[in-house]
Coordinates of all heavy atoms in Angstrom, one line a residue:
E1141 N 62.6 -99.3 9.3 CA 62.4 -98.2 10.3 C 63.8 -97.6 10.6 O 64.0 -96.4 10.7 CB 61.7 -98.6 11.5 CG 60.3 -99.0 11.3 CD 59.6 -99.5 12.6 OE1 59.5 -98.7 13.5 OE2 59.3 -100.7 12.6
A1142 N 64.8 -98.4 10.7 CA 66.2 -98.0 11.0 C 66.7 -97.1 9.8 O 67.3 -96.1 10.0 CB 67.1 -99.1 11.3
L1143 N 66.4 -97.6 8.6 CA 66.9 -96.9 7.4 C 66.2 -95.5 7.4 O 66.8 -94.5 7.0 CB 66.6 -97.7 6.2 CG 67.1 -97.1 4.9 CD1 68.6 -96.9 4.9 CD2 66.6 -98.0 3.7
D1144 N 64.9 -95.5 7.7 CA 64.2 -94.2 7.7 C 64.8 -93.2 8.7 O 65.0 -92.0 8.4 CB 62.7 -94.5 8.0 CG 61.9 -93.2 7.9 OD1 61.9 -92.5 6.9 OD2 61.2 -92.9 8.9
C1145 N 65.2 -93.7 9.8 CA 65.8 -92.8 10.8 C 67.1 -92.2 10.3 O 67.4 -91.0 10.4 CB 66.0 -93.6 12.2 SG 64.5 -94.0 13.1
F1146 N 68.0 -93.1 9.8 CA 69.3 -92.6 9.3 C 69.2 -91.7 8.1 O 70.0 -90.8 7.9 CB 70.2 -93.8 9.0 CG 70.7 -94.5 10.3 CD1 70.3 -95.8 10.6 CD2 71.5 -93.8 11.2 CE1 70.8 -96.4 11.7 CE2 71.9 -94.4 12.4 CZ 71.6 -95.7 12.6
L1147 N 68.2 -92.0 7.2 CA 68.0 -91.1 6.1 C 67.5 -89.7 6.6 O 68.0 -88.7 6.0 CB 67.0 -91.7 5.1 CG 67.5 -92.9 4.3 CD1 66.3 -93.4 3.5 CD2 68.6 -92.5 3.4
K1148 N 66.6 -89.6 7.6 CA 66.3 -88.3 8.2 C 67.5 -87.6 8.8 O 67.7 -86.4 8.6 CB 65.2 -88.5 9.2 CG 63.8 -88.9 8.7 CD 62.9 -89.1 9.9 CE 61.5 -89.5 9.4 NZ 60.5 -89.7 10.5
L1149 N 68.3 -88.4 9.4 CA 69.5 -87.8 10.1 C 70.5 -87.3 9.0 O 71.1 -86.3 9.2 CB 70.1 -88.9 11.0 CG 71.2 -88.4 12.0 CD1 70.6 -87.3 12.9 CD2 71.7 -89.6 12.8
Q1150 N 70.5 -88.1 7.9 CA 71.5 -87.6 6.9 C 71.0 -86.3 6.2 O 71.9 -85.5 5.8 CB 71.5 -88.7 5.8 CG 72.7 -88.6 4.9 CD 72.5 -87.8 3.6 OE1 71.3 -87.7 3.3 NE2 73.5 -87.3 3.0
A1151 N 69.7 -86.1 6.2 CA 69.2 -84.8 5.7 C 69.6 -83.6 6.7 O 69.7 -82.5 6.2 CB 67.7 -84.8 5.6
I1152 N 69.8 -83.9 8.0 CA 70.2 -82.9 8.9 C 71.7 -82.8 9.0 O 72.3 -81.7 8.9 CB 69.6 -83.3 10.3 CG1 68.1 -83.4 10.3 CG2 70.1 -82.2 11.4 CD1 67.5 -83.9 11.6
L1153 N 72.4 -83.9 9.1 CA 73.9 -83.9 9.2 C 74.4 -84.4 7.8 O 74.6 -85.7 7.7 CB 74.4 -84.8 10.3 CG 73.8 -84.5 11.7 CD1 74.2 -85.5 12.7 CD2 74.1 -83.1 12.2
R1154 N 74.7 -83.5 6.9 CA 75.0 -83.9 5.5 C 76.3 -84.7 5.4 O 76.4 -85.6 4.7 CB 75.1 -82.7 4.7 CG 73.7 -82.1 4.3 CD 73.0 -82.9 3.4 NE 71.7 -82.4 3.0 CZ 70.8 -83.0 2.2 NH1 71.1 -84.2 1.7 NH2 69.7 -82.4 1.9
N1155 N 77.3 -84.4 6.2 CA 78.6 -85.0 6.0 C 79.0 -85.8 7.2 O 80.2 -85.8 7.6 CB 79.6 -83.9 5.7 CG 79.4 -83.2 4.4 OD1 79.0 -83.8 3.5 ND2 79.6 -81.9 4.4
S1156 N 78.1 -86.5 7.9 CA 78.4 -87.3 9.0 C 78.8 -88.7 8.5 O 78.1 -89.4 7.9 CB 77.2 -87.4 9.9 OG 77.4 -88.3 11.0
A1157 N 80.1 -89.0 8.8 CA 80.6 -90.3 8.4 C 79.9 -91.5 9.0 O 79.6 -92.5 8.4 CB 82.1 -90.4 8.7
Q1158 N 79.6 -91.3 10.3 CA 78.9 -92.4 11.0 C 77.5 -92.7 10.4 O 77.1 -93.9 10.2 CB 78.8 -92.1 12.5 CG 80.1 -92.0 13.2 CD 79.9 -91.8 14.7 OE1 78.8 -91.5 15.1 NE2 81.0 -91.9 15.4
V1159 N 76.8 -91.6 10.0 CA 75.4 -91.8 9.4 C 75.6 -92.5 8.1 O 74.8 -93.4 7.7 CB 74.7 -90.5 9.3 CG1 73.4 -90.6 8.6 CG2 74.5 -89.9 10.7
L1160 N 76.5 -92.0 7.3 CA 76.7 -92.6 5.9 C 77.1 -94.1 6.0 O 76.6 -94.9 5.3 CB 77.8 -91.9 5.2 CG 77.4 -90.4 4.8 CD1 78.6 -89.7 4.2 CD2 76.3 -90.4 3.8
Y1161 N 77.9 -94.4 7.0 CA 78.3 -95.8 7.2 C 77.1 -96.7 7.6 O 76.9 -97.8 7.1 CB 79.4 -96.0 8.2 CG 79.8 -97.4 8.5 CD1 80.7 -98.0 7.6 CD2 79.3 -98.1 9.6 CE1 81.1 -99.3 7.8 CE2 79.7 -99.4 9.8 CZ 80.5 -100.0 9.0 OH 80.9 -101.3 9.2
Q1162 N 76.3 -96.2 8.5 CA 75.1 -97.0 8.9 C 74.1 -97.2 7.8 O 73.6 -98.3 7.6 CB 74.4 -96.2 10.1 CG 75.2 -96.2 11.4 CD 75.4 -97.6 11.9 OE1 74.7 -98.5 11.6 NE2 76.4 -97.8 12.7
I1163 N 73.9 -96.2 6.9 CA 73.0 -96.4 5.8 C 73.6 -97.4 4.8 O 72.8 -98.3 4.4 CB 72.8 -95.0 5.0 CG1 72.1 -94.0 5.9 CG2 72.0 -95.2 3.7 CD1 72.0 -92.6 5.4
A1164 N 74.9 -97.4 4.6 CA 75.5 -98.4 3.7 C 75.4 -99.8 4.3 O 75.1 -100.8 3.6 CB 77.0 -98.1 3.5
S1165 N 75.6 -99.9 5.7 CA 75.5 -101.2 6.3 C 74.1 -101.7 6.3 O 73.9 -102.9 6.1 CB 75.9 -101.0 7.8 OG 75.7 -102.2 8.5
L1166 N 73.1 -100.9 6.4 CA 71.7 -101.3 6.3 C 71.3 -101.8 4.9 O 70.7 -102.8 4.7 CB 70.7 -100.2 6.7 CG 70.7 -99.8 8.2 CD1 69.9 -98.6 8.4 CD2 70.1 -101.0 9.0
Y1167 N 71.8 -101.1 3.9 CA 71.6 -101.6 2.5 C 72.3 -103.0 2.3 O 71.8 -103.8 1.5 CB 72.0 -100.6 1.5 CG 71.0 -99.5 1.2 CD1 71.3 -98.2 1.5 CD2 69.8 -99.9 0.7 CE1 70.3 -97.2 1.3 CE2 68.8 -98.9 0.4 CZ 69.1 -97.6 0.7 OH 68.1 -96.6 0.5
E1168 N 73.4 -103.1 2.9 CA 74.1 -104.4 2.8 C 73.3 -105.5 3.4 O 73.2 -106.6 2.9 CB 75.5 -104.3 3.4 CG 76.4 -105.6 3.2 CD 77.7 -105.5 3.9 OE1 77.9 -104.5 4.6 OE2 78.5 -106.4 3.8
I1169 N 72.7 -105.2 4.6 CA 71.9 -106.2 5.3 C 70.6 -106.5 4.4 O 70.2 -107.7 4.3 CB 71.4 -105.7 6.6 CG1 72.7 -105.6 7.6 CG2 70.4 -106.6 7.3 CD1 72.4 -104.9 8.9
M1170 N 70.1 -105.5 3.7 CA 69.0 -105.7 2.8 C 69.3 -106.3 1.5 O 68.5 -106.5 0.6 CB 68.3 -104.3 2.6 CG 67.7 -103.7 3.8 SD 67.3 -102.0 3.6 CE 65.9 -102.1 2.5
E1171 N 70.6 -106.7 1.4 CA 71.1 -107.4 0.1 C 70.9 -106.5 -1.1 O 70.5 -107.0 -2.2 CB 70.5 -108.8 0.0 CG 70.7 -109.7 1.1 CD 70.1 -111.1 0.9 OE1 69.3 -111.2 -0.1 OE2 70.3 -112.0 1.7
D1172 N 71.3 -105.3 -0.9 CA 71.2 -104.3 -2.0 C 72.6 -103.8 -2.2 O 72.9 -102.7 -1.7 CB 70.2 -103.2 -1.8 CG 70.0 -102.3 -3.0 OD1 70.8 -102.5 -4.0 OD2 69.1 -101.5 -3.0
P1173 N 73.6 -104.5 -2.8 CA 75.0 -104.1 -2.8 C 75.2 -102.8 -3.6 O 76.1 -102.1 -3.3 CB 75.7 -105.3 -3.5 CG 74.6 -106.0 -4.2 CD 73.4 -105.8 -3.5
N1174 N 74.4 -102.6 -4.6 CA 74.6 -101.4 -5.4 C 74.4 -100.1 -4.6 O 75.2 -99.2 -4.6 CB 73.7 -101.4 -6.6 CG 74.0 -102.5 -7.6 OD1 75.2 -102.8 -7.8 ND2 73.0 -103.0 -8.3
Q1175 N 73.3 -100.1 -3.8 CA 73.0 -99.0 -2.9 C 74.1 -98.9 -1.8 O 74.5 -97.8 -1.5 CB 71.7 -99.1 -2.3 CG 70.5 -98.7 -3.2 CD 70.5 -97.2 -3.5 OE1 70.9 -96.4 -2.7 NE2 70.0 -96.9 -4.7
A1176 N 74.5 -100.0 -1.3 CA 75.6 -100.0 -0.3 C 76.9 -99.4 -0.8 O 77.5 -98.6 -0.2 CB 75.8 -101.4 0.2
I1177 N 77.2 -99.8 -2.1 CA 78.4 -99.2 -2.7 C 78.3 -97.7 -2.9 O 79.2 -97.0 -2.7 CB 78.7 -100.0 -4.0 CG1 79.2 -101.4 -3.8 CG2 79.7 -99.2 -4.9 CD1 79.3 -102.2 -5.0
E1178 N 77.1 -97.3 -3.3 CA 76.9 -95.9 -3.6 C 77.1 -95.1 -2.3 O 77.7 -94.0 -2.3 CB 75.5 -95.7 -4.2 CG 75.2 -94.2 -4.5 CD 73.8 -94.0 -5.1 OE1 73.2 -95.0 -5.5 OE2 73.3 -92.9 -5.0
W1179 N 76.5 -95.5 -1.2 CA 76.6 -94.8 0.1 C 78.1 -94.8 0.6 O 78.5 -93.9 1.2 CB 75.6 -95.3 1.1 CG 74.3 -94.8 0.8 CD1 73.3 -95.5 0.2 CD2 73.7 -93.6 1.1 NE1 72.1 -94.8 0.1 CE2 72.4 -93.5 0.6 CE3 74.2 -92.4 1.8 CZ2 71.5 -92.4 0.8 CZ3 73.3 -91.3 1.9 CH2 72.0 -91.3 1.4
L1180 N 78.7 -96.0 0.4 CA 80.1 -96.0 0.8 C 81.0 -95.1 0.0 O 82.0 -94.6 0.5 CB 80.7 -97.5 0.7 CG 80.2 -98.4 1.8 CD1 80.6 -99.9 1.5 CD2 80.8 -98.0 3.1
M1181 N 80.7 -94.9 -1.3 CA 81.4 -93.9 -2.1 C 81.2 -92.5 -1.6 O 82.2 -91.7 -1.5 CB 80.9 -94.0 -3.6 CG 81.2 -95.3 -4.3 SD 83.0 -95.6 -4.5 CE 83.3 -94.4 -5.8
Q1182 N 80.0 -92.2 -1.1 CA 79.8 -90.9 -0.4 C 80.6 -90.8 0.8 O 81.2 -89.8 1.2 CB 78.3 -90.7 -0.1 CG 77.4 -90.5 -1.3 CD 76.0 -90.1 -1.0 OE1 75.8 -89.4 0.0 NE2 75.0 -90.7 -1.6
L1183 N 80.7 -91.9 1.5 CA 81.5 -91.9 2.8 C 83.0 -91.6 2.6 O 83.6 -90.8 3.3 CB 81.3 -93.3 3.5 CG 82.2 -93.5 4.7 CD1 81.8 -92.5 5.8 CD2 82.0 -95.0 5.2
I1184 N 83.6 -92.3 1.6 CA 85.0 -92.0 1.3 C 85.2 -90.7 0.7 O 86.4 -90.2 0.7 CB 85.6 -93.2 0.5 CG1 85.0 -93.2 -0.9 CG2 85.5 -94.5 1.1 CD1 85.7 -94.1 -1.9

Side-chain angles (χ1 to χ4, degrees):
E1141 295 178 65
L1143 183 61
D1144 184 52
C1145 290
F1146 285 117
L1147 288 175
K1148 288 180 181 177
L1149 194 58
Q1150 197 269 337
I1152 302 171
L1153 307 174
R1154 285 288 181 183
N1155 295 323
S1156 173
Q1158 293 184 351
V1159 175
L1160 292 172
Y1161 178 81
Q1162 289 297 336
I1163 295 174
S1165 175
L1166 289 171
Y1167 276 118
E1168 185 183 5
I1169 294 172
M1170 297 168 68
E1171 298 180 355
D1172 189 349
N1174 293 327
Q1175 283 290 332
I1177 289 172
E1178 182 180 342
W1179 284 98
L1180 282 173
M1181 294 294 289
Q1182 293 187 38
L1183 173 61
I1184 63 172

